[in-house]
Amino acid sequence: MTENSEKDDFSTAEELEAKRAFTTGENFHARKLLGLHKLGNGQYRFRVWAPNAEKVWVVGDFNDWQVTDVMTCDGSCGIWEATLSTPKPGDLYKFRIQQKGGNVIDKFDPFSVKFEKRPNNAAEIYTLQEKKWKDGLWHARKKRSNYFRRPLNIYEVHSSSWRHHDDGTPYSFSDLKETLIPYVKEMGYTHIEFMPLMEHPLGASWGYQLTGYFALSASYGTPEEFQDFVEACHLQNIGVLLDWVPGHFSVNNDALAYYDGTPQFEYTDPDRAKNIRWGSLNFDLGKPQVQSFLISSLLFWLETFHVDGIRVDAVSNMIYRDYDEGPWLPNHEGGNRNLEGYYFLQKLNAVVKKDYPEALMIAEESSSETQVTGLIETGALGFDFKWNMGWMNDVLRFYEMDPIHRKHHFELVTFSFMYMLNEHYILPLSHDEVVHGKKSLMHKMWGDRYKQFAQLRNLYTFMMTHPGKKLLFMGSEWGQFLEWKYDEGLEWVDLDDALNHAMQQFTRQLNQFYKDERALWELDDVWETLEVIDADNREESVLSFIRHGKRKTDFLIVILNMTPVERRGFTIGVPYKGTYREVFNTEMAEFGGTWQSHNPDCVSQPQAFKQYTETISTTVPALGVIILKPEKIKVTRKRTSGKGAGES
């Protein structure tokens, strides 16, 4: 954001154009028009969109919350306006609206960038100053990189429950700057993804029922603190992603809900407006002013805070009329697609990519009926990445299972190889999987405590070696046993335990291994990245495959043992004659396992195994994973074709 964006210095012609564009869904910087702006003469101008209101006043500390400051309406666009000289910085204010039908209610400013702390929600007289950013090198590097073929390993964070002070208060972003950033850097993650930071009235919603779409929640600190946090991340080569919720919003009466007494932000049809599943209201995504509002919100976070990308929450709710639990009607074509939501998301991604081509646009979407990632011109929604919910559900179901039954359900860990490039995927082990009685990732694992840690290491290694980008929720990196609690800090005391501490160090080394090994991300978006060695060994429940880099000699062999039985003399096919060295073993003592040393190097033998003419034999630890790398090989074999990803 430029320093002028907080000031209302429009010419008459510019103001008319800004209002016209807002009403046609083309004003993507609507916060420069609406909300609160300081004028050059020290006065403040207030503007609010309330097209069906009968009267509107500005009320606040500066007029004792009385209806003395009346706003006037531009009837052509439904925007009310007042210019006042009495407010001073720090004063609180709202808009008192006589809604259609005569009801009078105080509403918050939808375009405010700063509110008082919840449960109160008055906006603050506040001017966001221009920041002189120092992260130019970070952004220059982003422009030169292809994020589809770069490592992307995300640490998902709920900012107010990552860590608490001794008195129980959560860390602010000033605190997180000094603690979270060094921790993420030490642990080897490439990005932090925050659950919604925008203003919301109830902590129990985790931020997914928003009110202030342009405001950092006052509970988390000031906008300047968050700007400084993002800058500090970039100086440490860490990206920052934000969750954002454009599909539905809070039902609170003093917020967006039926703002002017009519369906203003929500659908006119009450069945479409009501979101039963989340107890919220759905945006009317076909209304031009709503499109201007939402797209302006997203661009505001990219511009003002230099964040590197946005994860759009609950996309399925936006693109399917029958996603919710209530009654629904087909669209005019007779189908279940919410055409307004579909075209809005295409428009959103097109606008973002025009101005910020390097910004990551990520979708949380659980169906397979709509192409989410890819070019809009081909009918896709235009996102860069999609959470792979199918992989997540399948693998967690598999790892929760008693190993004696896993041979009967082996497709749960192999089926994703068949569709791994249908979209550009992120493999998420997210906050949704460690709440509401689902148990923590550690607690989901089968067996006694030792076996649970062994399987957690196995699971994380499978995620890291499976094609796709990665995401892990905070606390899972050391195997926190308790479910996540949004109003408490993580169980850092766990790290006094030797196994939890070893698990944390395992995750750190696995993250670094992922970044170091180009074969795990260099060809992440092409079928040649994966070559299945053996996906048919159900009886022993051992899965083996190869991840390829660009060079023929740059590849890794991954062998996962899904049972508590050590496999000695275990034989698999290999692509080339030569020597293979074990470079990673999840059962090393330093990780909490029992192995004191790695397997000896494997020398291939001329023996047929499926499509291979050479084999190696080694020991695969119980519930463990080993990764081998070619040490000395003779490249005489033509690489398996792209069909290898689906072969068995």
Side-chain angles (χ1 to χ4, degrees):
M1 171 176 284
T2 66
E3 61 181 335
N4 289 331
S5 62
E6 279 296 300
K7 295 181 179 179
D8 185 347
D9 56 357
F10 286 120
S11 68
T12 301
E14 288 172 334
E15 179 180 324
L16 290 173
E17 172 56 23
K19 289 179 176 179
R20 182 206 64 79
F22 178 75
T23 60
T24 59
E26 299 169 318
N27 188 337
F28 307 135
H29 301 276
R31 223 211 67 76
K32 295 181 181 181
L33 171 69
L34 291 150
L36 168 72
H37 297 276
K38 186 176 183 179
L39 304 181
N41 58 9
Q43 294 181 310
Y44 289 92
R45 179 162 292 155
F46 300 80
R47 288 196 183 103
V48 62
W49 175 56
N52 295 304
E54 297 175 351
K55 291 182 182 178
V56 182
W57 301 265
V58 184
V59 296
D61 293 333
F62 43 84
N63 60 17
D64 294 325
W65 300 89
Q66 301 301 308
V67 290
T68 56
D69 294 314
V70 184
M71 305 182 80
T72 59
C73 182
D74 183 338
S76 66
C77 59
I79 292 176
W80 296 76
E81 178 178 315
T83 301
L84 306 179
S85 56
T86 51
K88 60 183 184 297
D91 282 350
L92 301 176
Y93 74 95
K94 289 188 177 185
F95 297 121
R96 186 159 295 166
I97 298 178
Q98 182 173 314
Q99 298 175 316
K100 186 175 182 179
N103 179 54
V104 177
I105 187 171
D106 284 356
K107 291 281 194 176
F108 81 150
D109 179 356
F111 284 88
S112 175
V113 298
K114 196 168 190 291
F115 290 90
E116 60 180 333
K117 287 187 177 181
R118 60 175 184 255
N120 301 316
N121 75 340
E124 182 178 324
I125 301 294
Y126 168 84
T127 301
L128 183 59
Q129 300 297 321
E130 180 187 24
K131 177 177 174 62
K132 297 186 184 299
W133 290 87
K134 302 174 184 176
D135 59 353
L137 183 60
W138 165 263
H139 290 288
R141 280 198 298 264
K142 280 202 306 179
K143 290 178 180 179
R144 295 194 299 267
S145 67
N146 178 351
Y147 41 67
F148 294 117
R149 298 190 174 190
R150 294 290 302 162
L152 180 60
N153 186 12
I154 302 165
Y155 186 61
E156 188 189 24
V157 173
H158 180 256
S159 63
S160 62
S161 63
W162 184 70
R163 197 156 199 158
H164 281 194
H165 293 288
D166 291 341
D167 64 0
T169 58
Y171 277 20
S172 69
F173 270 102
S174 290
D175 299 320
L176 294 174
K177 177 182 172 182
E178 303 302 322
T179 53
L180 177 59
I181 295 174
Y183 180 77
V184 169
K185 186 176 179 65
E186 171 65 20
M187 290 298 296
Y189 293 98
T190 65
H191 289 70
I192 303 170
E193 180 179 320
F194 286 106
M195 294 162 67
L197 299 178
M198 300 83 185
E199 195 61 75
H200 54 282
L202 184 65
S205 77
W206 314 334
Y208 290 101
Q209 292 196 16
L210 300 181
T211 50
Y213 275 76
F214 294 82
L216 179 79
S217 175
S219 299
Y220 299 157
T222 68
E224 291 83 0
E225 285 178 314
F226 184 53
Q227 286 179 325
D228 291 344
F229 175 88
V230 174
E231 180 180 71
C233 282
H234 290 169
L235 294 177
Q236 294 298 323
N237 294 319
I238 297 169
V240 180
L241 310 172
L242 298 185
D243 283 9
W244 180 65
V245 191
H248 61 102
F249 57 92
S250 170
V251 298
N252 283 24
N253 285 334
D254 52 1
L256 294 176
Y258 297 96
Y259 197 84
D260 63 7
T262 70
Q264 181 177 328
F265 288 92
E266 51 279 278
Y267 288 103
T268 302
D269 179 346
D271 287 333
R272 298 190 69 190
K274 183 182 294 186
N275 191 312
I276 297 173
R277 182 172 301 199
W278 291 303
S280 56
L281 291 167
N282 293 318
F283 279 108
D284 182 348
L285 298 173
K287 184 176 290 185
Q289 296 91 335
V290 171
Q291 294 179 2
S292 289
F293 173 79
L294 289 173
I295 296 176
S296 295
S297 168
L298 190 151
L299 291 182
F300 174 79
W301 291 91
L302 292 175
E303 293 170 352
T304 307
F305 298 103
H306 281 208
V307 298
D308 302 285
I310 300 289
R311 185 193 73 108
V312 179
D313 183 66
V315 168
S316 295
N317 179 62
M318 301 171 70
I319 60 176
Y320 298 113
R321 285 175 170 242
D322 59 346
Y323 183 75
D324 201 15
E325 299 169 356
W328 67 280
L329 293 173
N331 59 37
H332 70 272
E333 298 175 347
N336 69 337
R337 175 167 284 178
N338 179 3
L339 296 172
E340 301 96 279
Y342 176 83
Y343 291 123
F344 166 75
L345 289 170
Q346 288 188 322
K347 178 179 180 177
L348 172 74
N349 283 311
V351 170
V352 170
K353 288 302 179 181
K354 180 178 179 295
D355 291 345
Y356 294 93
E358 72 280 3
L360 293 176
M361 293 297 292
I362 302 166
E364 186 229 2
E365 203 279 313
S366 55
S367 78
S368 59
E369 299 172 33
T370 298
Q371 187 68 28
V372 172
T373 62
L375 296 176
I376 294 170
E377 293 80 0
T378 66
L381 293 179
F383 286 95
D384 297 304
F385 292 102
K386 171 184 174 177
W387 276 16
N388 192 337
M389 313 294 278
W391 174 87
M392 177 195 71
N393 289 321
D394 285 349
V395 299
L396 290 180
R397 181 182 163 199
F398 183 86
Y399 279 87
E400 287 181 89
M401 192 179 297
D402 188 319
I404 198 171
H405 301 301
R406 290 177 179 174
K407 63 183 178 181
H408 303 299
H409 302 277
F410 211 50
E411 70 283 352
L412 292 174
V413 291
T414 61
F415 179 60
S416 55
F417 290 159
M418 304 297 293
Y419 66 86
M420 65 182 191
L421 294 188
N422 286 3
E423 304 266 14
H424 293 295
Y425 284 119
I426 291 175
L427 308 179
L429 295 173
S430 74
H431 66 277
D432 277 327
E433 306 314 308
V434 295
V435 289
H436 297 325
K438 294 181 182 179
K439 300 185 291 189
S440 68
L441 294 183
M442 172 66 175
H443 196 181
K444 292 178 195 289
M445 300 297 107
W446 167 87
D448 59 31
R449 192 163 185 258
Y450 178 87
K451 292 184 178 70
Q452 287 178 318
F453 275 112
Q455 288 172 105
L456 202 60
R457 296 192 296 268
N458 188 306
L459 169 62
Y460 292 174
T461 307
F462 182 46
M463 177 175 72
M464 282 298 180
T465 55
H466 189 292
K469 309 308 181 185
K470 329 295 177 185
L471 179 142
L472 186 66
F473 184 60
M474 64 182 195
S476 303
E477 69 270 22
W478 70 72
Q480 177 170 306
F481 187 80
L482 297 178
E483 281 192 342
W484 167 59
K485 298 180 180 66
Y486 75 91
D487 55 351
E488 298 181 15
L490 295 177
E491 299 288 327
W492 292 94
V493 68
D494 288 350
L495 294 176
D496 294 336
D497 177 86
L499 284 176
N500 285 115
H501 185 267
M503 184 71 209
Q504 183 191 49
Q505 295 312 304
F506 166 81
T507 304
R508 182 183 66 81
Q509 291 198 37
L510 180 64
N511 289 346
Q512 190 61 48
F513 183 81
Y514 167 69
K515 288 200 294 187
D516 291 343
E517 294 296 335
R518 302 177 71 89
L520 295 179
W521 42 263
E522 196 170 41
L523 298 179
D524 225 4
D525 60 343
V526 294
W527 286 105
E528 287 76 12
T529 190
L530 178 74
E531 181 178 343
V532 174
I533 297 175
D534 190 3
D536 295 329
N537 191 345
R538 291 173 173 269
E539 195 59 38
E540 293 179 298
S541 295
V542 179
L543 173 64
S544 54
F545 57 87
I546 300 173
R547 288 297 307 276
H548 286 287
K550 287 183 179 179
R551 296 184 303 165
K552 280 189 174 182
T553 57
D554 187 9
F555 62 89
L556 297 171
I557 296 174
V558 183
I559 309 174
L560 300 103
N561 183 1
M562 309 298 192
T563 69
V565 179
E566 184 176 87
R567 304 297 179 186
R568 297 186 179 184
F570 187 79
T571 300
I572 60 168
V574 291
Y576 303 113
K577 178 180 180 180
T579 302
Y580 295 81
R581 171 163 295 177
E582 183 179 282
V583 293
F584 203 87
N585 186 322
T586 63
E587 278 301 295
M588 299 302 293
E590 62 183 305
F591 300 149
T594 59
W595 284 45
Q596 298 298 321
S597 59
H598 284 280
N599 274 305
D601 290 356
C602 301
V603 179
S604 68
Q605 301 297 319
Q607 181 181 352
F609 186 98
K610 295 201 173 217
Q611 70 267 35
Y612 303 101
T613 59
E614 295 283 327
T615 63
I616 57 171
S617 296
T618 187
T619 299
V620 187
L623 296 173
V625 184
I626 61 173
I627 302 176
L628 309 173
K629 196 170 184 178
E631 184 75 8
K632 297 176 182 178
I633 59 173
K634 187 175 182 181
V635 181
T636 58
R637 166 188 169 272
K638 185 177 180 181
R639 180 183 293 179
T640 305
S641 70
K643 294 180 181 179
E647 289 176 351
S648 61

